[in-house]
Amino acid sequence: MLPTPQRLTLTCARVHPLGAPSNNADHDIVRYLLGDEDGKLHVLAVIRSMNGNVERLQIENLGVTNISSTLLYLERGLVFVGSQSSDSQFIQILDKPTRLSDEKKGDENDLIMSGQNLTYVHVLDEYKNLGPIVDFDVIPMSHNSYGVVNDSLASQCMAVTASGTEKDGSVRFIRNGTGFFEHASVELGGIKGMWALRKSFHDHDDAFLVQSYMGETRIFGVTIEDSGEEGSTSDWDGTSATLSEMQLPDFECENMTLYAGNVIVDTDSDLSLFLQITKRSIRLISLTRSQCVSNWSAQHGESFTIASANESGQIIVVSKGGKIEYLQIVRTDNNGLKIDLKGVAQIGKEVSCVNLNAFEESTDSIQKPAIKDVGTPMEIDYELSEGRSAPKSKIVVVGLWDETNLLVLSLDDASPLRTISRIQLNREVPGQQTCYTNVAQKMARSVCLVTLGSLGYCSDFTKGENDRKEAKNGVNMILIGLGNGVLISFVVNETQEGSWDFTSRREVSIGTRALNLVVFPKHSGTKGACVLATGDRPTIIYLSGGSVKSSKTSRLCYSNIHLSCDDEFENGAEPSIEKNAQLIVNVAAPFRASSLLDDSSNHSDDSYSLCLSDDTTMRIGMIDNIQKLHVTTHKLGMPPRKVAHDVKNRLLCVGCIDQNTSSLQYSNRAETNMGNCVRLFDDSTFEEIDRIDLDPYEMILSLICTQLKVTPNDDFTPETSTIKESEHVDASDSFDPYIILGTGYGFPEDDEPSRGRIIVLECNRDRSNNMFSRKVKKVAELQVRGGVFSICPFYDGSILASINSKTRLCRLVGQENNGVLDLKIVGAGHHGHILSLVVKSLSEEISNADNNTREQLAIVGDMVRSISVLKYYSEYQTLEEIARDFNQNWVTAVEMLTDNIYLGAENFNNIFALRRNPNSSSQEVRCRLDTIGVFHIGEMVNKFLKGSLVLPSHTAGNSGNISTFGQYLGDGNDGIRKMTPKLGSQTLFGTVDGTLGAIIGLDVNSSLFFMALQRSMAKIVKPVGYLKHGDYRSFRIPRGCQPSRGFIDGDFVESFAELDPAMMEAIVQEMNKEDKWYKVESNDNNRKNDAAKKELRPKLTVEEVLAMIEDMAMAH
């Protein structure tokens, strides 16, 4: 027997013996790894004699990890630490102890080995886990600017969760999209185009940034400066990089540049060739020779309006009137270089955009001989990176101003600029309204040819031949940006006969302004090529999924870039809304400069770096990993209970349990009071601003941040607890932000809280109104008989509080000018519940002017009696129950979607939807809530909250300019159908297991479509372990089971895009066979006509199903 502290050992793993036998043949040692609930990792040595008897036990402390739920010893000291309460870890157990870093010395849990700052544990990697999500809130964000007052229900939000237990408690920020980390910015307005140039074609970094303006061109170069001092012993090498304006030899800066880029003609050509196209000429410049080696001017006094080129030396220039000229850089007889005209085409219409990027054909390295420095005026670094190739394009794509067509022209030597295809961009159905507002918005404003490679592919051309992946894994695509922010994409395939097919049309709306498409080419690392679409909602388009051998199951994904105008405020003043307004990116260019963007601690070597420009400012920075969600963790060192965000004061309020672990190391926690506290942090820097400690045995049960109205003392009658109600609500009434805390005293002898408090806190600043000088003080307090389990904002600046089995309405009473406030219970509350756990209302979505005409409703989630609907009668100042659910659901979370639709979750891992029938003629029906949906979610939901993690898009069907699902079904085969889901309410939910999900409302046609898709997939797709989808999602409770209804499994139907094409086709055929994926409006008089039209109606296609799924994927 080995004495241990009074701590529960949670996990155990046996350590595999090493190959070498023990020197002591008289003993056999078996080692086990033990993890306790403090996160400490121990090794237990069981010393046995040769006959198997245990002689003694020996235990040693190795270090501290996250609290483990499972331990798995792999080999050679590598251990996987699985955790349900924090991030899982992959650690290395060291042979010799190492000293803890300075950052960890302040953590008492890391002071191990008898007070010595030593540890045997080295963390190699961590795997994100949000669970358990105890509570969460949403932060309205305007491109990552946290302090902007914004409507969280109509804009993109960032979720903040209270996650973890014990010492691993943390606050997690979860945002959707891709973040842009700004390194530098300068006021430069009027930029029309930007291009990055390398000193040598095979260089890894860019050296010059070319900027085009109306009437001029400016060049900025990366300059390395040596600022080191003699005799310095620091690790800093004394060098710094700056981006300064400079001149390049023979580069024409007096005219506007239409294109600039590096070119390479063949293996023997100069590697420092630049191509510049202006309105008057095409110039081929050699940086090595410091001169223009070839020049081609516009003929007959013409001027170029649009130009495009690629790195192989192919050039397209367009003149007024639709004249297109195709040129190419070729070698002369004397081994020189010249720009040669290959073909001319006159299409007779003005051209809006043109592109001739080459599709990737092979990733084979081009072996380049080392080139010696020939002594140029500039110090050119000729360290070459082998493998950058420059394939030639076989086609050029042309967009027109006067038509909604896209022309595809051939670039073959036999018949250059021959039209080989015409792509129709407009979706119109005869006899129906055009889906766009005007003709100009249908025209292509930008187009690009690109081979998108999945971000999961390895595209490192420095690896060996066996590790190199073929280019066929990428997908050749045409991307077209329209004038209204709509992006259209096609998959491009070249047949064996030499013809071209353009299939798999996709159409999504990613903004409201014209798009400019910029290709980010792949480079060393694991990232493939992607495309940036500029506009009022900058978006990265990339390929996700697929495998090394095939890209058939790859998906086209979209990730918004979050830009921050300014997170620092002069003199600590509060930011203005105008200063943090949404940025519009006009021009962008990839710009990679390792010396200038040196942030290796936060970004990998293959991170994308770029330069952005709006109307007034140019910004240089890097974008983080392109993925769906990004999680930022802030450790608390104690378990959190509640979290709320104060938008006005930029505060994050976190209710915590201060366990004081160091003083309780050898005591029984169950018999010791753990003090509760409220910690207040700045929402951007996470600097702790203030802390409020509660009384002994007082627990935090609820926490919200809302705006309250102060009622004058003259209007409150203490004897009757009533308030003089005004006949009309004044929209000019003052509403001030407050932090409201609900508590309950958990004495050991009480089965439930016998008393509690509602505490009202206010954030104050000093006289200078400094944002960073904030203090929180208590302005009012209300003692109640019971625990305050839930608080929600209510109408006219009041709040509702659920206190044990009661629901009460409270108001702030007093004179705001003298600072004396009191929180009072108003009127008669509602009684009769078992335990009121949650109360919700729609007051924050309703304007004050509507309070006089709208029913003031709220719902209460009871622990046993499901959901009840309460109505507040202002003339009587009473709360009365008007309807309830008579099913016995043990509610854990509720949400009020509309006045008559409610969402609930219960403790058997199910969710359900209820509907009230206020217009029924029967009193019995009006008092009963009907169940309209049930679904087994598989995890216990802790909270529902209105909001969305994505920017709202008018593709969702709420815009009058974009037609909805049913408007494109048509009556015949004419026209191209465009089905778009129409979205309703959007609700986030958090679970005990760490899932953050979304529940989205759909219109009738969209729900019928996805229901049909779900049924067909359940029939065709064979489940793992033959567990039927319908059985798993059935609403299961101890007293019975019923099939799911009213809900669609979004994860399941979106997996359609990951299936192989044959299975996709089979599922779509099943949908057409069932023929229940749309709603047909009919009556008795024309049913025969409807039946005839049904036979002529086009069948559903795989492309249409994929388009619907992609639209839904962008909505969450």
Side-chain angles (χ1 to χ4, degrees):
M1 180 178 293
L2 183 68
T4 60
Q6 296 181 9
R7 311 294 294 140
L8 176 63
T9 298
L10 296 178
T11 53
C12 175
R14 181 172 178 175
V15 179
H16 305 309
L18 298 178
S22 175
N23 295 329
N24 192 343
D26 298 334
H27 298 88
D28 177 31
I29 301 177
V30 180
R31 294 178 177 87
Y32 295 90
L33 291 177
L34 305 178
D36 61 27
E37 64 178 22
D38 276 338
K40 292 182 180 179
L41 186 66
H42 312 268
V43 59
L44 173 64
V46 181
I47 303 173
R48 302 180 302 185
S49 62
M50 297 307 297
N51 57 8
N53 296 328
V54 177
E55 293 186 351
R56 68 179 185 272
L57 302 175
Q58 184 177 341
I59 189 169
E60 292 184 8
N61 193 348
L62 297 178
V64 178
T65 65
N66 290 340
I67 298 175
S68 58
S69 303
T70 183
L71 293 173
L72 177 62
Y73 184 86
L74 301 175
E75 61 176 6
R76 301 183 182 277
L78 297 175
V79 181
F80 176 74
V81 181
S83 177
Q84 291 182 332
S85 60
S86 185
D87 298 336
S88 297
Q89 294 177 316
F90 184 48
I91 67 171
Q92 170 80 57
I93 299 178
L94 306 175
D95 296 332
K96 296 180 180 180
T98 60
R99 189 167 297 276
L100 294 172
S101 61
D102 293 336
E103 292 80 2
K104 293 184 178 181
K105 287 181 181 179
D107 191 347
E108 296 178 354
N109 291 307
D110 286 326
L111 301 181
I112 62 173
M113 299 181 62
S114 302
Q116 302 178 21
N117 297 328
L118 301 176
T119 181
Y120 285 94
V121 175
H122 174 59
V123 179
L124 300 175
D125 200 0
E126 290 190 337
Y127 308 94
K128 295 295 184 182
N129 172 32
L130 301 181
I133 299 178
V134 184
D135 189 21
F136 76 97
D137 200 358
V138 292
I139 302 177
M141 53 187 297
S142 178
H143 286 296
N144 206 27
S145 297
Y146 302 167
V148 181
V149 179
N150 210 340
D151 183 8
S152 63
L153 302 177
S155 64
Q156 185 177 14
C157 298
M158 175 172 57
V160 54
T161 67
S163 301
T165 61
E166 304 293 333
K167 74 174 186 65
D168 293 333
S170 62
V171 170
R172 309 290 184 104
F173 294 93
I174 301 100
R175 60 175 173 82
N176 186 292
T178 301
F180 174 74
F181 298 93
E182 181 181 304
H183 287 253
S185 64
V186 62
E187 291 187 5
L188 285 175
I191 300 177
K192 301 300 180 182
M194 288 192 295
W195 301 268
L197 299 177
R198 304 180 299 278
K199 287 184 178 180
S200 178
F201 184 81
H202 295 288
D203 279 354
H204 190 60
D205 284 356
D206 298 313
F208 310 105
L209 182 65
V210 179
Q211 297 179 350
S212 178
Y213 298 83
M214 291 297 297
E216 67 169 336
T217 298
R218 302 173 67 179
I219 303 173
F220 291 82
V222 179
T223 305
I224 307 296
E225 299 178 354
D226 188 359
S227 303
E229 298 180 1
E230 295 183 2
S232 176
T233 59
S234 64
D235 296 333
W236 178 51
D237 59 5
T239 61
S240 61
T242 59
L243 189 67
S244 55
E245 190 169 1
M246 61 187 307
Q247 296 291 327
L248 287 179
D250 264 8
F251 212 90
E252 187 175 349
C253 295
E254 293 77 16
N255 290 317
M256 177 180 177
T257 297
L258 301 179
Y259 174 86
N262 293 85
V263 293
I264 185 171
V265 180
D266 50 39
T267 57
D268 298 327
S269 67
D270 186 357
L271 297 177
S272 63
L273 293 176
F274 298 155
L275 180 66
Q276 182 194 17
I277 305 177
T278 65
K279 287 191 173 183
R280 298 292 181 184
S281 65
I282 304 173
R283 302 172 63 84
L284 182 63
I285 303 167
S286 173
L287 184 62
T288 305
R289 303 178 188 177
S290 300
Q291 65 178 9
C292 177
V293 298
S294 181
N295 182 46
W296 197 88
S297 300
Q299 302 175 359
H300 309 298
E302 297 175 345
S303 62
F304 304 138
T305 58
I306 300 173
S308 179
N310 55 35
E311 292 183 337
S312 67
Q314 294 176 299
I315 305 168
I316 290 288
V317 289
V318 180
S319 304
K320 292 182 179 180
K323 180 183 178 181
I324 302 177
E325 296 172 280
Y326 170 45
L327 306 99
Q328 189 172 349
I329 302 174
V330 298
R331 286 206 172 272
T332 61
D333 296 337
N334 58 358
N335 205 27
L337 296 175
K338 71 172 184 178
I339 302 174
D340 188 30
L341 179 64
K342 294 292 185 180
V344 180
Q346 184 71 44
I347 59 177
K349 295 182 180 295
E350 295 295 337
V351 176
S352 61
C353 54
V354 65
N355 187 265
L356 50 55
N357 288 343
F359 294 132
E360 294 182 13
E361 296 179 354
S362 174
T363 56
D364 293 340
S365 298
I366 301 177
Q367 301 296 331
K368 297 297 176 183
I371 296 181
K372 297 181 180 180
D373 192 350
V374 296
T376 62
M378 297 185 180
E379 296 181 0
I380 301 177
D381 185 6
Y382 282 102
E383 286 187 8
L384 303 182
S385 174
E386 297 179 353
R388 189 187 296 272
S389 61
K392 291 187 177 181
S393 178
K394 297 180 179 180
I395 58 174
V396 59
V397 184
V398 179
L400 305 177
W401 279 114
D402 299 335
E403 292 185 2
T404 60
N405 294 329
L406 201 69
L407 300 181
V408 182
L409 310 180
S410 173
L411 294 180
D412 56 18
D413 295 333
S415 55
L417 300 183
R418 173 177 56 90
T419 302
I420 58 177
S421 182
R422 184 182 294 266
I423 302 175
Q424 177 70 29
L425 301 181
N426 185 25
R427 290 182 180 271
E428 291 185 353
V429 176
Q432 296 194 17
Q433 184 179 1
T434 303
C435 62
Y436 301 106
T437 55
N438 53 65
V439 176
Q441 290 181 337
K442 305 181 219 176
M443 301 176 187
R445 300 294 183 88
S446 180
V447 62
C448 76
L449 302 169
V450 61
T451 301
L452 291 181
S454 174
L455 297 186
Y457 298 151
C458 177
S459 57
D460 192 346
F461 49 71
T462 63
K463 296 186 180 295
E465 187 70 26
N466 295 331
D467 297 331
R468 200 175 297 125
K469 307 298 185 292
E470 295 295 334
K472 65 182 180 181
N473 291 331
V475 178
N476 296 333
M477 302 196 71
I478 293 181
L479 302 180
I480 307 109
L482 303 187
N484 62 343
V486 172
L487 178 74
I488 301 176
S489 63
F490 293 90
V491 174
V492 182
N493 293 300
E494 184 181 9
T495 64
Q496 296 180 352
E497 294 78 14
S499 60
W500 296 82
D501 292 334
F502 306 94
T503 60
S504 302
R505 173 177 175 139
R506 304 285 185 274
E507 182 175 331
V508 296
S509 177
I510 59 176
T512 59
R513 296 200 175 193
L515 302 180
N516 182 34
L517 304 176
V518 180
V519 177
F520 283 75
K522 70 179 183 180
H523 46 69
S524 63
T526 59
K527 294 185 180 296
C530 62
V531 177
L532 170 66
T534 66
D536 59 341
R537 195 175 155 188
T539 301
I540 294 287
I541 301 105
Y542 63 98
L543 206 64
S544 178
S547 63
V548 172
K549 296 183 178 180
S550 175
S551 61
K552 292 181 179 180
T553 58
S554 300
R555 295 180 59 185
L556 197 63
C557 300
Y558 313 88
S559 180
N560 303 119
I561 294 183
H562 304 294
L563 306 175
S564 177
C565 292
D566 224 329
D567 283 334
E568 301 294 336
F569 311 108
E570 297 180 1
N571 303 321
E574 183 178 0
S576 63
I577 297 179
E578 291 77 15
K579 187 174 183 180
N580 289 277
Q582 180 175 322
L583 287 178
I584 298 174
V585 177
N586 299 329
V587 182
F591 185 70
R592 183 179 180 85
S594 301
S595 57
L596 191 66
L597 306 177
D598 185 13
D599 196 2
S600 57
S601 59
N602 296 330
H603 304 281
S604 59
D605 182 62
D606 58 351
S607 295
Y608 290 111
S609 53
L610 68 158
C611 183
L612 305 175
S613 173
D614 56 16
D615 294 334
T616 60
T617 307
M618 182 190 74
R619 292 174 171 84
I620 299 177
M622 303 181 75
I623 57 178
D624 55 11
N625 293 329
I626 302 174
Q627 58 191 41
K628 188 69 175 177
L629 292 177
H630 292 266
V631 180
T632 304
T633 303
H634 294 280
K635 293 285 188 179
L636 295 172
M638 56 182 67
R641 291 184 62 90
K642 296 293 178 181
V643 64
H645 180 249
D646 186 350
V647 180
K648 179 69 175 179
N649 296 303
R650 299 191 60 180
L651 281 179
L652 190 65
C653 311
V654 185
C656 303
I657 303 175
D658 190 356
Q659 295 177 321
N660 195 11
T661 308
S662 59
S663 63
L664 300 176
Q665 185 173 2
Y666 298 102
S667 63
N668 189 348
R669 290 189 179 182
E671 299 177 358
T672 307
N673 172 51
M674 301 177 188
N676 281 230
C677 63
V678 178
R679 302 173 65 182
L680 300 110
F681 302 91
D682 182 87
D683 63 1
S684 57
T685 65
F686 210 73
E687 176 186 358
E688 188 164 2
I689 295 174
D690 206 347
R691 170 173 169 153
I692 299 174
D693 292 305
L694 302 183
D695 295 340
Y697 296 101
E698 190 175 16
M699 303 176 297
I700 298 175
L701 300 179
S702 54
L703 177 65
I704 67 167
C705 297
T706 188
Q707 294 190 351
L708 301 180
K709 185 178 75 172
V710 178
T711 302
N713 286 323
D714 298 339
D715 295 341
F716 181 73
T717 306
E719 294 78 8
T720 59
S721 296
T722 58
I723 287 182
K724 180 181 178 182
E725 297 286 342
S726 59
E727 295 182 359
H728 300 282
V729 177
D730 190 354
S732 64
D733 285 341
S734 168
F735 290 81
D736 298 318
Y738 292 96
I739 304 167
I740 305 174
L741 177 66
T743 70
Y745 288 85
F747 297 112
E749 63 273 11
D750 292 342
D751 294 332
E752 64 179 26
S754 58
R755 65 187 182 95
R757 293 191 295 170
I758 302 178
I759 304 171
V760 181
L761 307 173
E762 183 181 26
C763 178
N764 292 327
R765 305 176 189 174
D766 57 15
R767 296 181 179 179
S768 63
N769 198 29
N770 194 314
M771 172 64 72
F772 301 101
S773 299
R774 290 165 287 180
K775 297 292 291 184
V776 175
K777 69 173 184 178
K778 181 173 67 175
V779 297
E781 177 185 321
L782 177 63
Q783 298 279 349
V784 296
R785 296 181 178 180
V788 186
F789 286 93
S790 180
I791 302 174
C792 80
F794 203 56
Y795 295 87
D796 196 23
S798 61
I799 59 172
L800 283 180
S802 60
I803 307 167
N804 283 7
S805 62
K806 310 178 186 67
T807 304
R808 309 302 297 266
L809 186 140
C810 304
R811 287 184 181 273
L812 269 183
V813 178
Q815 298 298 330
E816 190 176 6
N817 52 4
N818 59 18
V820 179
L821 300 176
D822 198 3
L823 188 66
K824 298 291 186 181
I825 294 178
V826 178
H830 177 264
H831 305 260
H833 289 102
I834 305 299
L835 187 62
S836 302
L837 290 180
V838 193
V839 59
K840 288 290 186 72
S841 74
L842 292 176
S843 61
E844 291 187 317
E845 303 179 31
I846 310 303
S847 63
N848 294 329
D850 296 335
N851 286 347
N852 292 322
T853 59
R854 192 183 185 97
E855 286 185 307
Q856 298 185 12
L857 303 177
I859 61 173
V860 177
D862 187 81
M863 185 179 69
V864 178
R865 299 181 58 192
S866 192
I867 295 177
S868 301
V869 183
L870 305 182
K871 181 178 179 180
Y872 178 69
Y873 295 90
S874 57
E875 61 272 22
Y876 306 109
Q877 297 189 4
T878 59
L879 282 169
E880 288 189 5
E881 181 180 283
I882 59 174
R884 63 180 292 258
D885 178 22
F886 290 91
N887 296 309
Q888 186 178 359
N889 292 316
W890 295 62
V891 171
T892 60
V894 300
E895 184 57 68
M896 201 171 179
L897 303 182
T898 66
D899 280 343
N900 302 318
I901 304 294
Y902 319 118
L903 190 64
E906 49 93 67
N907 68 335
F908 293 107
N909 303 340
N910 302 305
I911 59 176
F912 57 94
L914 304 174
R915 180 177 60 199
R916 183 171 70 101
N917 303 288
N919 299 323
S920 175
S921 58
S922 172
Q923 177 65 21
E924 180 182 355
V925 175
R926 291 197 301 268
C927 294
R928 184 182 66 243
L929 297 181
D930 296 332
T931 302
I932 58 175
V934 291
F935 188 78
H936 180 71
I937 202 169
E939 301 176 28
M940 181 180 291
V941 177
N942 268 343
K943 187 174 183 178
F944 291 116
L945 196 62
K946 290 284 190 68
S948 174
L949 296 184
V950 299
L951 279 170
S953 172
H954 44 271
T955 308
N958 295 325
S959 172
N961 298 332
I962 300 295
S963 300
T964 56
F965 179 92
Q967 291 178 314
Y968 283 100
L969 294 180
D971 293 332
N973 293 315
D974 296 331
I976 304 174
R977 294 177 297 172
K978 172 64 170 70
M979 298 177 295
T980 302
K982 185 175 182 180
L983 308 184
S985 62
Q986 300 192 46
T987 306
L988 300 174
F989 66 87
T991 71
V992 175
D993 292 337
T995 296
L996 188 66
I999 299 175
I1000 303 175
L1002 297 174
D1003 67 318
V1004 175
N1005 286 318
S1006 300
S1007 61
L1008 288 175
F1009 177 89
F1010 286 110
M1011 279 290 188
L1013 176 60
Q1014 180 176 268
R1015 289 192 301 268
S1016 299
M1017 289 182 64
K1019 291 180 181 179
I1020 303 299
V1021 179
K1022 295 181 180 179
V1024 177
Y1026 297 97
L1027 175 63
K1028 294 183 179 179
H1029 177 266
D1031 294 341
Y1032 173 66
R1033 291 304 184 185
S1034 296
F1035 187 87
R1036 294 192 299 272
I1037 52 178
R1039 62 180 181 272
C1041 176
Q1042 54 179 309
S1044 64
R1045 55 188 173 93
F1047 288 92
I1048 300 167
D1049 190 346
D1051 293 332
F1052 181 60
V1053 297
E1054 288 186 9
S1055 67
F1056 175 86
E1058 301 173 3
L1059 301 175
D1060 60 82
M1063 190 167 292
M1064 288 184 186
E1065 188 65 37
I1067 293 172
V1068 174
Q1069 289 180 5
E1070 179 66 26
M1071 293 179 66
N1072 288 321
K1073 180 180 178 181
E1074 187 184 44
D1075 203 21
K1076 294 182 179 179
W1077 54 271
Y1078 59 90
K1079 181 180 179 181
V1080 179
E1081 299 291 342
S1082 63
N1083 51 56
D1084 295 335
N1085 297 328
N1086 57 5
R1087 284 183 178 177
K1088 293 183 179 180
N1089 295 333
D1090 290 339
K1093 292 179 180 180
K1094 184 177 179 180
E1095 297 296 329
L1096 299 175
R1097 193 181 303 277
K1099 296 296 183 180
L1100 194 64
T1101 64
V1102 173
E1103 286 75 15
E1104 291 169 334
V1105 176
L1106 287 172
M1108 282 286 286
I1109 291 175
E1110 287 183 358
D1111 284 345
M1112 279 303 304
M1114 291 187 65
H1116 62 84

